[in-house]
Amino acid sequence: MAVLDYSGLLRVGLTELRLKPAEFWALTPFELMTMSGRIPASRPMVRARLEELGRAFPDGQEKSDD
C-alpha cells in the first residue's frame, strides 16, 4: 500500500491551487494531483476515436429487457 504525503498535498492544494480547506478535503488525492498537473489528464478525444465509439454504440438502438 502506498503512503500518501498529505502534508505535501495540502501544501499544493492550499498554496499552488489556492483551494479553501473545505475544497481541499472534498477532493480525492487523484483529483488533486490531476488539478496540480502532477498526473496528466487523459488525452483529448480525437475524431477517429469518436467515430469508433459511434459504431460500437449507435444511437437509437436501445435493447429491450423482454
Side-chain angles (χ1 to χ4, degrees), residues 2-45:
V3 176
L4 289 175
D5 175 14
Y6 273 105
S7 62
L9 291 175
L10 186 60
R11 190 177 326 101
V12 167
L14 299 181
T15 61
E16 290 182 29
L17 299 174
R18 299 183 181 271
L19 298 171
K20 296 176 183 166
E23 295 170 331
F24 170 84
W25 290 110
L27 295 170
T28 66
F30 182 82
E31 290 170 327
L32 182 62
M33 296 299 286
T34 301
M35 289 173 65
S36 68
R38 284 156 175 82
I39 297 176
S42 60
R43 296 180 311 168
M45 178 79 65

Side-chain angles (χ1 to χ4, degrees), residues 40-52:
S42 60
R43 296 180 311 168
M45 178 79 65
V46 294
R47 180 169 293 279
R49 179 66 176 141
L50 180 61
E51 290 170 353
E52 179 184 338

